[in-house]
């Protein structure tokens, strides 16, 4: 079976959503996938989103999935559908500021540090609770907190990865129980190599690139 059909079937069966991660792939390749009916695309660099966006259909929903610098927020604020990579209060404040200027409410996820190996970005649980308290107190009115995002260790050790997904799901459930935030419904976890495991562990949004497009060329 065709890989896109196969992936979308698994994701639908799990009532989850697909973000097609198109970083490093050309607009032509992205358009081919778009023509298969997919509309949600994720990129990790601001400059790359801006360049591609102008060349591609306007009904694409762009998700920012990579580490974001404060000075770049204003460039994506007008159109971005969701920011998965909120990894500090500073960046959240900047998103609030830019969203307010243009009278938008921007969907965001807090990126959690769950990997036991590598990965530079992500909030600790303590940092997360501090931010949640401020959101709860109404300090970020132009932000719509939709959920959490996490990246598991890049490892063949399935039980390690599974444990990391489980811990993120546990935190996600605790947030729901404590705050009952409105529209808090998104747990973004799982990539090409581990999305089925992530879905088993309760993911509601998977971010898949190379499994759809083929091996990435970073040059
Ligand atoms: C690149 C990337 C992905 C997708 O990776 P694949 O292994 O190609 O599916 C998912 N999430 C983030 C944050 C990424 O940077």
């Amino acid at each position: 079976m065709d890989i896109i059909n196969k992936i979308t079937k698994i994701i639908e069966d799990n009532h989850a959503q697909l973000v097609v991660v198109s970083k490093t792939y050309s607009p032509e390749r992205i358009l081919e996938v778009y023509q298969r009916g997919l509309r949600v695309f994720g990129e990790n660099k601001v400059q790359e989103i801006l360049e591609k966006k102008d060349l591609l259909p306007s009904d694409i929903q762009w998700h920012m999935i990579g580490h974001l610098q404060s000075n770049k927020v204003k460039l994506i604020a007008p159109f971005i559908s969701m920011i998965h990579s909120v990894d500090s209060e500073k960046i959240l404040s900047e998103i609030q500021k830019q969203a307010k200027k243009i009278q938008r409410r921007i969907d965001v996820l807090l990126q959690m540090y769950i990997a036991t190996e590598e990965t530079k970005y992500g909030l600790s649980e303590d940092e997360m609770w501090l931010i949640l308290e401020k959101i709860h107190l109404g300090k970020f009115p132009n932000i719509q907190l939709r959920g959490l995002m996490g990246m598991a260790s890049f490892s063949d050790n399935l039980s390690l990865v599974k444990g990391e997904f489980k811990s993120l799901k546990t935190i996600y459930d605790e947030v729901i129980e404590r705050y009952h935030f409105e529209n808090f419904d998104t747990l973004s976890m799982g990539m090409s190599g581990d999305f089925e495991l992530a879905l088993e562990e309760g993911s509601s949004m998977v971010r898949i690139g190379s499994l759809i497009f083929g091996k990435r060329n970073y040059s």
Side-chain angles (χ1 to χ4, degrees):
M1 203 199 322
D2 168 87
I3 190 70
I4 291 180
N5 287 339
K6 189 176 163 201
I7 293 171
T8 51
K9 168 94 169 58
I10 295 169
I11 293 171
E12 265 170 35
D13 288 347
N14 284 276
H15 310 287
Q17 282 178 289
L18 170 62
V19 178
V20 180
V21 176
S22 51
K23 67 185 185 202
T24 75
Y25 301 108
S26 68
E28 292 76 18
R29 300 288 316 279
I30 297 172
L31 193 59
E32 286 172 18
V33 174
Y34 172 92
Q35 281 159 349
R36 298 287 307 275
L38 298 174
R39 292 294 177 270
V40 182
F41 290 83
E43 290 279 341
N44 67 342
K45 294 200 177 106
V46 167
Q47 201 52 43
E48 201 171 329
I49 302 190
L50 296 175
E51 283 165 20
K52 288 174 173 173
K53 178 179 149 318
D54 285 344
L55 299 169
L56 287 160
S58 59
D59 63 344
I60 287 182
Q61 296 161 42
W62 293 102
H63 285 208
M64 178 63 188
I65 62 169
H67 178 66
L68 189 51
Q69 289 170 304
S70 292
N71 60 352
K72 304 253 172 88
V73 171
K74 61 175 174 301
L75 301 172
I76 59 170
F79 67 86
I80 203 78
S81 279
M82 185 179 278
I83 299 174
H84 292 229
S85 44
V86 173
D87 56 8
S88 68
E89 188 181 334
K90 179 168 176 257
I91 202 73
L92 193 64
S93 300
E94 182 62 20
I95 298 167
Q96 162 59 32
K97 181 176 151 192
Q98 297 301 336
K100 185 174 182 208
K101 266 194 205 165
I102 55 175
Q103 299 183 350
R104 269 196 84 195
R105 197 161 187 216
I106 297 180
D107 281 357
V108 307
L109 306 176
L110 299 183
Q111 180 173 355
M112 302 300 296
Y113 187 91
I114 54 166
T116 34
E117 301 158 354
E118 73 213 82
T119 64
K120 285 170 286 187
Y121 302 112
L123 298 164
S124 69
E125 240 192 286
D126 287 347
E127 291 171 318
M128 178 201 74
W129 291 116
L130 290 173
I131 292 176
L132 291 178
E133 192 56 27
K134 292 181 184 179
I135 293 174
H136 173 69
L137 292 172
K139 296 197 173 163
F140 300 97
N142 294 78
I143 277 165
Q144 174 74 68
L145 179 67
R146 294 295 305 276
L148 304 180
M149 180 271 235
M151 287 173 85
S153 294
F154 191 72
S155 166
D156 294 334
N157 182 342
L158 282 187
S159 69
L160 174 76
V161 171
K162 190 182 166 103
E164 292 169 359
F165 287 148
K166 266 193 199 303
S167 74
L168 183 57
K169 175 66 158 68
T170 302
I171 297 168
Y172 176 76
D173 288 340
E174 277 172 28
V175 173
I176 291 173
E177 199 170 310
R178 244 199 243 190
Y179 284 107
H180 303 284
F181 287 124
E182 225 175 285
N183 304 311
F184 187 96
D185 57 7
T186 305
L187 181 56
S188 169
M189 61 181 197
M191 320 191 343
S192 289
D194 56 21
F195 78 101
E196 291 180 88
L197 190 55
L199 290 168
E200 279 171 31
E201 297 304 329
S203 170
S204 70
M205 187 176 273
V206 294
R207 309 176 307 270
I208 298 180
S210 50
L211 194 59
I212 292 172
F213 288 105
K215 209 167 172 301
R216 215 171 262 117
N217 179 358
Y218 280 101
S219 68

